[in-house]
Amino acid sequence: TVQIGELRVEVLRDGSSIVPGDFFGSLEGSRHASLVGADGRIELPIAGLLVRSGERTVLIDAGMGPTSVEWQPKSGGSLRLFGGELPAALAEAGVAPEQVDLVLATHLHGDHVGWIFQEGRPFFPNAVVRFGAGDWEPWVERGPDPAFRANMRALARAGRIAPIERDGEVAPGISALHTPGHTPGHQCFVLSSGTARAMILGDA
């Protein structure tokens, strides 16, 4: 748990991504060299951030979901991503899924939105889902997952999708900052309370 001024922030781990040690380029001699394990790979957490923002309970990124994906990139080695732990982490934080008011996704890749739906139903039944408007076309309208596409459209019809169109406050003490590149609509989120600041980078 971290305090950003009056904002209480808890990291909710869902799983991990395990990638070759040189996946992000050579780390030799860098401050990140210690991240490379004895097997030559890096394990990075897949997580969401629970933010108590005034009277609102906000989740920034919704993990991978109860699934595992593995593939071999052209550059060599193998990548494995897996999730499934977020509900237990949420319960440990004393929050039920129905108590989450707002889900903010840095972007719509599967390892950031995996728990938005489970078994065709919203996992956070009372939450509005927000993300950069630029991600709707490539990741919903033309996205690779027909179930995700159908579920997102249904949630939009129910009035619970609110794409972020411009930089600015999206909840008390939380502001969105458009940072395209990783995806067209990628967002960073700035937590701000008093003189304290923290930037949630997503995959920027």
Side-chain angles (χ1 to χ4, degrees):
T1 303
V2 177
Q3 285 291 140
I4 308 297
E6 297 298 317
L7 299 177
R8 181 180 173 192
V9 183
E10 296 175 76
V11 178
L12 305 181
R13 187 169 182 136
D14 187 46
S16 294
S17 59
I18 300 173
V19 302
D22 60 355
F23 186 69
F24 301 105
S26 175
L27 299 182
E28 188 175 348
S30 80
R31 69 178 66 185
H32 302 299
S34 62
L35 292 174
V36 182
D39 62 356
R41 300 194 297 175
I42 300 172
E43 181 172 354
L44 301 169
I46 295 174
L49 294 172
L50 186 70
V51 183
R52 317 296 174 97
S53 172
E55 298 298 314
R56 308 193 76 185
T57 300
V58 180
L59 180 65
I60 300 177
D61 281 340
M64 178 86 180
T67 188
S68 177
V69 177
E70 189 164 354
W71 75 96
Q72 294 180 325
K74 293 180 181 178
S75 57
S78 66
L79 284 79
R80 179 171 178 249
L81 283 72
F82 60 91
E85 302 170 19
L86 190 137
L90 197 65
E92 189 173 334
V95 175
E98 57 267 22
Q99 293 176 295
V100 175
D101 303 301
L102 177 64
V103 175
L104 297 172
T106 56
H107 60 298
L108 295 186
H109 283 169
D111 55 334
H112 293 256
V113 296
W115 284 102
I116 290 179
F117 303 100
Q118 282 303 309
E119 299 179 352
R121 301 174 64 87
F123 186 74
F124 306 100
N126 300 314
V128 170
V129 177
R130 304 203 67 187
F131 52 88
D135 275 5
W136 180 267
E137 178 66 24
W139 296 105
V140 179
E141 293 300 327
R142 295 186 288 108
D145 184 345
F148 182 71
R149 181 163 60 244
N151 289 332
M152 289 291 279
R153 287 172 173 169
L155 203 61
R157 288 194 297 272
R160 289 176 45 206
I161 293 283
I164 300 169
E165 303 281 356
R166 61 185 61 85
D167 292 353
E169 191 173 76
V170 290
I174 305 176
S175 293
L177 179 65
H178 186 208
T179 49
H182 187 64
T183 69
H186 189 284
Q187 304 286 312
C188 289
F189 294 104
V190 181
L191 309 182
S192 175
S193 177
T195 59
R197 302 284 184 277
M199 180 175 281
I200 311 306
L201 296 175
D203 284 352

